[in-house]
């Protein structure tokens, strides 16, 4: 089954404690991206990757890092989380930048206390 | 830059009512247009799409027509069901635009639809 898998689905943690949200896709997609979803703001892109070792900033990259060492994985790293990063996060993948639709994971709800 | 504007809701309807969710856009190029649906606790799923003017996308009884003259892509369904309760996102992908929404995919803020039995 084609899917994008995120882990964890839920996490409550404290300010400053480094965390990583993993994302894996089994569709051999080149393009992957991370979004955050906040009430009244919709989805905003954090980072995207057009292929292995190629990443770039989206609309709201501050406070986040990503890496793309393998085609299937695109982890999101919060080196020093802060309460304003409390949000619902989605990973997505597609065949390429100009190939839609994107396939979304089920989301990760992060709460930073 | 590109933008998508949609009614935010919540929109509350009775079962079997007619649904319209308005969506208008601004784009610098020749965008493709999408409606995504998000059911509670799940990620976004593509509902329908249209890639050029006057195209009509349809799926699961939902329809939307790409209107270039009014820059709109309104979502409609003739008879909604309780199972249609979800958040609906209008989005565009503008391959000629290299700015914010860096992958060319720009979302509206979402419309929360509630269908009562």
């Amino acid at each position: 089954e084609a899917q994008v898998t995120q882990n964890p689905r839920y996490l409550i943690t404290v300010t400053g404690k480094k965390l990583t949200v993993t994302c894996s896709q089994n569709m051999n997609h080149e393009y992957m991206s991370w979004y955050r979803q906040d009430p009244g703001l919709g989805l905003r892109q954090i980072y995207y990757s057009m292929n292995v070792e190629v990443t770039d900033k989206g609309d709201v990259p501050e406070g986040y890092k990503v890496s793309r060492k393998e085609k299937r994985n695109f982890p999101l790293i919060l080196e020093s989380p802060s309460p304003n990063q409390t949000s619902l996060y989605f990973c997505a993948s597609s065949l390429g930048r100009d190939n839609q639709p994107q396939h979304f994971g089920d989301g990760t709800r992060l709460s930073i206390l | 830059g590109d933008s998508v504007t949609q009614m935010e809701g919540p929109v509350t309807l009775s079962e079997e009512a007619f649904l319209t969710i308005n969506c208008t856009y601004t784009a610098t190029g020749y965008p493709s247009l999408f409606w995504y649906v998000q059911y509670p606790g799940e990620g976004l799923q593509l509902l329908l799409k249209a890639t050029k003017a006057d195209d009509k996308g349809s799926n699961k009884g939902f329809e939307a027509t790409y209107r270039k003259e009014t820059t709109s892509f309104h979502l409609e369904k003739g008879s909604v069901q309780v199972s249609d309760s979800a958040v609906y996102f209008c989005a565009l992908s503008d391959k000629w635009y290299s700015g914010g929404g860096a992958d060319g995919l720009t979302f509206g803020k979402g419309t929360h639809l509630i269908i009562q039995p």
Side-chain angles (χ1 to χ4, degrees), chain A residues 75-102:
Chain A
L76 179 70
I77 303 157
L78 284 71
E79 294 271 4
S80 182
S82 62
N84 64 11
Q85 293 177 298
T86 293
S87 187
L88 179 59
Y89 292 85
F90 289 100
C91 180
S93 74
S94 65
L95 280 171
R97 180 184 187 275
D98 298 325
N99 283 277
Q100 304 292 345
Q102 295 196 38

Side-chain angles (χ1 to χ4, degrees), chain B residues 15-32:
Chain B
E15 205 165 21
E16 299 184 4
F18 184 86
L19 168 71
T20 300
I21 301 177
N22 290 336
C23 171
T24 57
Y25 68 90
T26 59
T28 53
Y30 305 92
S32 296

Side-chain angles (χ1 to χ4, degrees), chain A:
Chain A
E1 180 189 351
Q3 58 186 4
V4 177
T5 304
Q6 299 178 223
N7 280 296
R9 292 291 312 277
Y10 305 91
L11 179 63
I12 302 173
T13 187
V14 296
T15 299
K17 185 176 181 182
K18 180 179 178 180
L19 67 90
T20 299
V21 184
T22 64
C23 174
S24 179
Q25 50 92 4
N26 63 359
M27 295 166 279
N28 201 36
H29 284 169
E30 291 187 350
Y31 189 92
M32 298 184 74
S33 58
W34 277 103
Y35 295 87
R36 59 178 289 173
Q37 182 181 12
D38 300 290
L41 296 176
L43 274 79
R44 295 178 292 168
Q45 191 182 53
I46 303 170
Y47 268 95
Y48 67 98
S49 169
M50 299 182 77
N51 215 325
V52 175
E53 302 292 0
V54 180
T55 64
D56 209 343
K57 297 177 180 178
D59 294 321
V60 288
E62 295 78 18
Y64 304 95
K65 286 175 57 177
V66 293
S67 69
R68 188 88 182 276
K69 294 184 172 58
E70 305 166 284
K71 198 171 189 179
R72 63 183 290 125
N73 295 324
F74 190 45
L76 179 70
I77 303 157
L78 284 71
E79 294 271 4
S80 182
S82 62
N84 64 11
Q85 293 177 298
T86 293
S87 187
L88 179 59
Y89 292 85
F90 289 100
C91 180
S93 74
S94 65
L95 280 171
R97 180 184 187 275
D98 298 325
N99 283 277
Q100 304 292 345
Q102 295 196 38
H103 296 259
F104 283 82
D106 285 340
T108 296
R109 186 166 291 282
L110 288 183
S111 294
I112 316 295
L113 305 177

